[in-house]
Amino acid sequence: MKEINDIISAYRTAVNDNIRMTLATVVKVEGSSYRQPGARMLVTEDGRLTGAISGGCLEGDALRKALLAIHQQQNKLITYDTNEEGSSELGVQLGCNGIVHILFEHIDSDDPFNPIALLEQLRVSRKESVLVTLFSLEQRKQQIGTSILKQEDVEIFKPTIAGYHLLLSADMLLAKQKRQNFLKSFDYQGQVQEALIEYISSPISLIIAGAGNDAKPMVEAASLLGWETTILDGRATHALQQRFPKAQRVLLASPDQAIEQLQIDSHTVFVLMTHNYKYDLSLLQYLVKTATPYIGVLGPKTKLQRMLDDVSTAGIILSETQKICIYGPMGLDIGAETSEEIAFSTICEIKAVLSNRKAGFLKNLTTKIHETTPIIT
């Protein structure tokens, strides 16, 4: 979501400054690529780039293609071959061993269904979404672009593509159920079309119980990823917004008061680091009954075991599923000592949990780093 939020902010600035722009989206990858389908970059006519479609190797040429799309006011599909011996339309010989198809969409800020307008709907509420981008690998054909957004019972799409919406409804439902992106090639009125059907999760909400100095780098680390951060603490001297300028909320509250003010779902994660045993224990007793997938407990394993014993004494019998969600000591084993190191090791552990990854060394992987986007037949 951070990349999308940055693009939306840059879009708003460009609209206010009356600057034209194009949205570049990776819609299909064959082989290996630094970025996967769904990666986006906003390009303004004065040359500003927000987001990324590669590791920096394609951006120079993408800027030129984006400016062409702006001036012609047309969507364009461009294919980049990053093989050493490229034979596609543009062989950039980067050695990444992949072919990347990028859709450049001219942005009309007066169009209520323009791609950025659809992306803005993702920030309206904390809901899982499915976004559909329509394109054709036959580059001379019409490139429809980002056209459909589905959020629970709400669907937004251009009236002119209602037929596509009906045809892809089952595929959008599958993407949401699987929480996965898909590609689909299909025939519509005698024309072969492609669709990137993209699952976008609701924003990650990090709740940090503790407003001590060691919580500051935790907020900083989370902000780099665009996570929404809330600080909880019962001390009026510590729970101050000016101490945590990058946190979305700072709550001065007891555990019971804090719980009443929080919305907890499967994208809400917690770290307990108040250095107040009773405060953390009270939160833990409540949190184990919620949908949170991660509860990190700062401190040694003996502290966590004492907390679990006290939870049991209180009559709360934890299932194995509930126990799996509790991490203590929290963080990955990277030799962290300082509060900054602990913050990054914990944020990385949370990211691994949410991504269902083991957080090992990439060099030991026997599979590809990125899973290939499956194709719906």
Side-chain angles (χ1 to χ4, degrees):
M1 278 297 295
K2 184 178 187 302
E3 186 170 73
I4 290 176
N5 287 336
D6 290 345
I7 286 172
I8 292 171
S9 296
Y11 165 77
R12 281 298 161 200
T13 299
V15 170
N16 291 336
D17 295 341
N18 198 28
I19 296 174
R20 296 182 297 175
M21 67 203 93
T22 292
L23 181 67
T25 303
V26 177
V27 291
K28 189 172 184 177
V29 170
E30 302 171 57
S32 299
S33 174
Y34 185 85
R35 297 299 306 271
Q36 296 300 297
R40 293 178 173 82
M41 180 176 72
L42 186 73
V43 184
T44 58
E45 63 180 333
D46 60 352
R48 285 177 287 175
L49 309 178
T50 305
I53 52 173
S54 74
C57 46
L58 301 180
E59 273 68 6
D61 187 77
L63 173 60
R64 292 188 287 272
K65 297 299 190 296
L67 293 176
L68 182 62
I70 290 173
H71 293 308
Q72 294 183 347
Q73 297 187 22
Q74 290 182 338
N75 296 348
K76 292 183 176 295
L77 184 83
I78 303 297
T79 297
Y80 294 91
D81 189 338
T82 62
N83 289 290
E84 292 184 355
E85 300 296 334
S87 59
S88 285
E89 177 181 321
L90 182 62
V92 292
Q93 300 183 1
L94 299 171
C96 296
N97 301 316
I99 298 174
V100 185
H101 303 279
I102 298 177
L103 180 65
F104 294 86
E105 298 180 76
H106 166 68
I107 304 299
D108 178 2
S109 59
D110 293 327
D111 179 4
F113 299 101
N114 79 61
I116 310 297
L118 294 182
L119 292 178
E120 284 187 301
Q121 294 298 316
L122 299 174
R123 295 207 303 191
V124 173
S125 61
R126 287 180 52 82
K127 295 180 179 178
E128 296 175 306
S129 305
V130 176
L131 189 66
V132 177
T133 303
L134 299 167
F135 61 99
S136 173
L137 293 180
E138 296 185 39
Q139 298 176 2
R140 295 183 179 179
K141 290 190 175 180
Q142 180 188 18
Q143 304 294 338
I144 298 175
T146 308
S147 306
I148 306 171
L149 176 67
K150 178 177 176 59
Q151 290 181 311
E152 294 183 359
D153 297 330
V154 177
E155 295 183 358
I156 303 172
F157 56 90
K158 297 179 180 180
T160 54
I161 55 96
Y164 291 95
H165 168 261
L166 292 174
L167 185 62
L168 297 171
S169 59
D171 302 312
M172 289 188 285
L173 180 60
L174 178 65
K176 183 177 180 181
Q177 291 173 338
K178 297 286 188 179
R179 295 186 173 183
Q180 188 173 10
N181 295 353
F182 289 96
L183 286 164
K184 178 164 184 158
S185 179
F186 60 99
D187 183 279
Y188 182 74
Q189 296 183 347
Q191 299 289 327
V192 176
Q193 290 284 340
E194 306 273 340
L196 169 60
I197 305 169
E198 187 180 358
Y199 168 77
I200 301 176
S201 66
S202 57
I204 296 171
S205 176
L206 171 63
I207 315 296
I208 302 173
N213 289 338
D214 55 352
K216 292 180 179 180
M218 193 76 71
V219 174
E220 293 286 334
S223 71
L224 291 175
L225 301 180
W227 294 2
E228 299 175 356
T229 307
T230 298
I231 295 287
L232 309 177
D233 204 294
R235 296 170 292 179
T237 54
H238 288 64
L240 301 169
Q241 186 68 57
Q242 57 264 37
R243 282 174 49 80
F244 302 94
K246 292 188 178 180
Q248 278 64 46
R249 286 197 301 172
V250 176
L251 299 180
L252 173 61
S254 66
D256 291 341
Q257 292 170 334
I259 290 301
E260 291 178 356
Q261 300 181 61
L262 298 176
Q263 291 183 334
I264 304 173
D265 57 27
S266 60
H267 292 92
T268 306
V269 294
F270 288 80
V271 293
L272 309 184
M273 49 188 300
T274 65
H275 303 283
N276 181 323
Y277 181 83
K278 291 184 177 180
Y279 194 107
D280 287 353
L281 177 62
S282 295
L283 282 176
L284 180 62
Q285 290 175 329
Y286 180 86
L287 295 178
V288 292
K289 303 173 185 178
T290 69
T292 179
Y294 181 94
I295 306 168
V297 180
L298 181 68
K301 189 175 289 291
T302 52
K303 174 189 173 182
L304 175 60
Q305 188 57 57
R306 177 188 170 193
M307 294 178 76
L308 294 177
D309 291 342
D310 287 344
V311 167
S312 178
T313 300
I316 303 173
I317 307 302
L318 300 181
S319 67
E320 289 304 314
T321 300
Q322 290 172 314
K323 292 178 182 178
I324 288 174
C325 295
I326 304 171
Y327 292 78
M330 65 186 192
L332 300 180
D333 183 11
I334 60 172
E337 292 288 344
T338 67
S339 58
E340 291 81 8
E341 293 168 345
I342 292 170
F344 277 104
S345 81
T346 301
I347 294 298
C348 288
E349 179 177 66
I350 295 172
K351 173 59 180 171
V353 169
L354 294 176
S355 301
N356 195 28
R357 302 298 287 262
K358 295 183 179 179
F361 293 114
L362 288 177
K363 74 173 189 176
N364 294 334
L365 279 182
T366 57
T367 59
K368 295 170 62 176
I369 296 175
H370 301 291
E371 295 181 0
T372 301
T373 304
I375 298 174
I376 300 177
T377 56

